[in-house]
Amino acid sequence: MDISKDQIATLLDHDLHASAQMLHTYKQALQYCKIIPKQNSTSARTSLSSRSSSPSSFNASAINENEVKFKIASCHSSLNETRLALAEMEGIPSKARTLQMSLLMAKLFRNSRHNRYAIACYRECLRNCPYVMEAIIALAELGVAAKDIISLFSQVCSFENHTISLSPHPPENLFEFGAYPTTAIFITSYKSGRTPFEHIDSNRWLQRYVEAQCCVASNDYKGGLELFAELLQRFPSNIHILLETAKVEAIIGKSDEAIVNFEKVRSLDPFLITYMDEYAILLKGKSDYTKLNKLVHDLLSIDPTRPEVFVALSVLWERKDERGALSYAEKGNILLSLKRPEVAVIAFRGAHDLRADLRSYQGLVHSYLAFSKTKEALHAAREAMKAMPQSAKALKLVGDVHASNSSGREKAKKFYESALRLEPGYFGAALALAELHCVEGRNGDAVSLLERYVKDWADDSLHVKLAQVYAATNALQEALSHYQAALRLNPQNEAAKKGLERLEKQMKGVDPDAPEEDEENEVEDADEEPDEIELLRE
């Protein structure tokens, strides 16, 4: 079917270039460019956006071949056809590339693992405009030092005559550099006549932002959180910084703080999907299925095609149907819960290759330990400790590997104690050390350690562990008190429920490990009617 020039003009005027279905239209546009005589250089540089919206006013000389190639490349990129997209973009002369073109080139090079070329393109973006947040984050993740990124800003302009403000939502006429969330910091320039309250040292906040992203990229989560906290003091309702803060808090185990920040973000923008998979995982961890159900319902009504929605749905389905969840997203944690650690390793290794952070290391270590690959687990744990020398979580990982073997318990104890010296409030290490005390018969040491933490941390897992230790030493009333405290904090805590059932049997003088009478009958029935049991298995 032939496509008329008027139809092409209409499509371009209505910005339908984002649709991959229009790819052939752009190809056709390029053919028209080749057969139409070139106009003078001024008209050749005319922007597509300067044409009239009327099809009848179509002027072939207004078609900019480079812009059409860019839109074709954008279509290929949307379809994950990186090679084809790069081929189109490389046909655009470097001097003719706009900021958007440079940003797309950088993304394409990064997706194809040509990091050196990607860094060069991201640098070029910042030389054109220092506020391309996607470029800042990408350079940090690619290992470029903060001082090298900041040095690019001085090549653009002086900050003395500009004031920058960050708002939670973009003004109507504001140009957005790319997609949410990486460019969710929206920038508005103000000239003279501003009030003292409006004046912000733009050089300082932008430097702090770069330093924060570089800290997070290098696994210095504590440093990153401190810098994000400083930025939040200036911009308390900025969605992007709140999201970044919540993500880091989730990574280092500050679940309650992360949930508070995710909920604040949702109150500011209920249609946001970015990082909502992280929020869903936290809600699952807290057994808050009411909020999790509502979150998944909301996300499905906003955009069911986003990967964050798939993950959130898989987290919800994990509770109801673990194998159903697996069909949506082969997440390492789900695979571990299905007792498939060999496959979980593959998932975590993929995550590690994309971004080596604390969670990918934790997943690898726990997966390897789950099928007794101690050597590989120790290698991953030591790699984490090398990448994050100031991380108590990394030290605990090494301790976990040593604790898995009776001959390594003394080493494990030293690593757990080192983790607690580095981060005294890290109750994950306290729980691990208490477990080690119990295994070696030092129940008194376990109790004294956990009692110190339970005063400052309202955490159900701490109460469960204390209850288990007290029950093991026959201090049944204290055990009952802590099981009840755990269930008050989290009514869905299965370990507390099962522990309480066992404790009630102990208090009645019944062996908690004795099978229920119904279970005995079921065993007898099974012996008498094997055919029926086989039928049930089928």
Side-chain angles (χ1 to χ4, degrees), residues 352-371:
H352 181 272
D353 290 341
L354 289 172
R355 177 172 172 76
D357 62 12
L358 181 64
R359 286 178 296 185
S360 64
Y361 283 120
Q362 288 173 329
L364 282 171
V365 170
H366 295 153
S367 298
Y368 281 129
L369 287 178
F371 63 108

Side-chain angles (χ1 to χ4, degrees), residues 362-491:
Q362 288 173 329
L364 282 171
V365 170
H366 295 153
S367 298
Y368 281 129
L369 287 178
F371 63 108
S372 302
K373 293 282 187 178
T374 308
K375 183 179 178 181
E376 289 82 353
L378 187 58
H379 176 77
R382 285 175 173 169
E383 188 180 326
M385 190 171 64
K386 183 179 178 180
M388 297 168 277
Q390 296 302 311
S391 171
K393 277 75 176 175
L395 288 171
K396 179 185 175 291
L397 277 182
V398 182
D400 290 343
V401 179
H402 287 303
S404 67
N405 192 311
S406 59
S407 62
R409 287 173 186 164
E410 191 58 35
K411 286 184 179 179
K413 181 172 176 286
K414 290 178 180 178
F415 276 101
Y416 292 149
E417 289 172 344
S418 296
L420 289 173
R421 282 195 297 272
L422 189 63
E423 190 179 327
Y426 180 24
F427 66 83
L431 281 172
L433 183 57
E435 180 65 32
L436 203 59
H437 286 323
C438 292
V439 169
E440 297 191 328
R442 299 189 298 269
N443 291 326
D445 290 342
V447 168
S448 60
L449 173 65
L450 294 175
E451 286 287 6
R452 291 202 306 268
Y453 282 88
V454 82
K455 294 174 183 176
D456 300 320
W457 291 89
D459 185 84
D460 52 309
S461 58
L462 272 174
H463 284 288
V464 169
K465 177 48 69 177
L466 260 173
Q468 290 170 344
V469 178
Y470 277 125
T473 57
N474 215 33
L476 304 186
Q477 197 58 46
E478 289 85 350
L480 176 63
S481 174
H482 283 289
Y483 276 133
Q484 290 172 338
L487 289 171
R488 281 196 298 272
L489 289 169
N490 181 5

Side-chain angles (χ1 to χ4, degrees), residues 185-451:
I185 293 183
F186 300 98
I187 301 155
T188 309
S189 295
Y190 295 89
K191 297 190 178 180
S192 58
R194 57 187 178 269
T195 65
F197 177 75
E198 291 172 327
H199 188 278
I200 297 173
D201 184 351
S202 56
N203 189 25
R204 187 177 179 214
W205 78 253
L206 193 56
Q207 287 186 14
R208 291 291 182 272
Y209 181 77
V210 172
E211 290 165 358
Q213 290 294 349
C214 287
C215 280
V216 173
S218 62
N219 300 308
D220 178 8
Y221 299 115
K222 181 180 178 183
L225 273 183
E226 289 173 355
L227 289 162
F228 281 132
E230 182 181 332
L231 288 166
L232 279 174
Q233 287 180 353
R234 289 176 175 267
F235 316 113
S237 296
N238 183 266
I239 290 176
H240 174 64
I241 299 176
L242 283 168
L243 279 174
E244 292 293 297
T245 301
K247 181 187 73 173
V248 175
E249 288 170 338
I251 289 173
I252 64 175
K254 292 189 172 183
S255 302
D256 293 335
E257 294 90 335
I259 286 173
V260 168
N261 280 319
F262 277 128
E263 288 176 349
K264 187 172 183 180
V265 167
R266 295 250 308 153
S267 69
L268 290 168
D269 185 355
F271 298 100
L272 186 74
I273 294 180
T274 304
Y275 295 163
M276 288 300 107
D277 51 345
E278 303 278 0
Y279 181 39
I281 291 169
L282 291 174
L283 293 177
K284 169 66 167 57
K286 291 293 182 182
S287 299
D288 194 338
Y289 294 109
T290 302
K291 285 185 180 178
L292 180 57
N293 268 297
K294 185 179 187 311
L295 174 66
V296 172
H297 179 271
D298 291 346
L299 295 178
L300 286 170
S301 66
I302 297 168
D303 185 355
T305 66
R306 287 279 293 271
E308 296 94 331
V309 182
F310 292 157
V311 175
L313 188 60
S314 76
V315 171
L316 179 62
W317 276 39
E318 182 184 359
R319 174 182 175 227
K320 301 175 180 178
D321 176 7
E322 290 180 330
R323 297 196 179 277
L326 194 59
S327 68
Y328 275 90
E330 290 194 349
K331 298 287 285 185
N333 287 324
I334 297 175
L335 290 162
L336 269 178
S337 72
L338 291 172
K339 303 189 187 317
R340 299 178 63 191
E342 297 94 337
V343 191
V345 164
I346 298 172
F348 284 120
R349 179 58 65 186
H352 181 272
D353 290 341
L354 289 172
R355 177 172 172 76
D357 62 12
L358 181 64
R359 286 178 296 185
S360 64
Y361 283 120
Q362 288 173 329
L364 282 171
V365 170
H366 295 153
S367 298
Y368 281 129
L369 287 178
F371 63 108
S372 302
K373 293 282 187 178
T374 308
K375 183 179 178 181
E376 289 82 353
L378 187 58
H379 176 77
R382 285 175 173 169
E383 188 180 326
M385 190 171 64
K386 183 179 178 180
M388 297 168 277
Q390 296 302 311
S391 171
K393 277 75 176 175
L395 288 171
K396 179 185 175 291
L397 277 182
V398 182
D400 290 343
V401 179
H402 287 303
S404 67
N405 192 311
S406 59
S407 62
R409 287 173 186 164
E410 191 58 35
K411 286 184 179 179
K413 181 172 176 286
K414 290 178 180 178
F415 276 101
Y416 292 149
E417 289 172 344
S418 296
L420 289 173
R421 282 195 297 272
L422 189 63
E423 190 179 327
Y426 180 24
F427 66 83
L431 281 172
L433 183 57
E435 180 65 32
L436 203 59
H437 286 323
C438 292
V439 169
E440 297 191 328
R442 299 189 298 269
N443 291 326
D445 290 342
V447 168
S448 60
L449 173 65
L450 294 175
E451 286 287 6

Side-chain angles (χ1 to χ4, degrees), residues 66-112:
N66 292 331
E67 288 191 28
V68 177
K69 286 182 178 180
F70 167 63
K71 298 185 194 320
I72 293 173
S74 298
C75 292
H76 283 306
S77 178
S78 297
L79 294 170
N80 294 318
E81 297 171 349
T82 303
R83 185 180 59 80
L84 294 174
L86 269 175
E88 290 292 343
M89 291 303 299
E90 287 171 346
I92 302 175
S94 58
K95 292 183 179 180
R97 288 176 193 151
T98 64
L99 180 60
Q100 283 184 312
M101 292 176 184
S102 294
L103 189 59
L104 180 59
M105 280 286 284
K107 291 177 179 177
L108 293 171
F109 278 131
R110 190 180 183 189
N111 290 343
S112 56

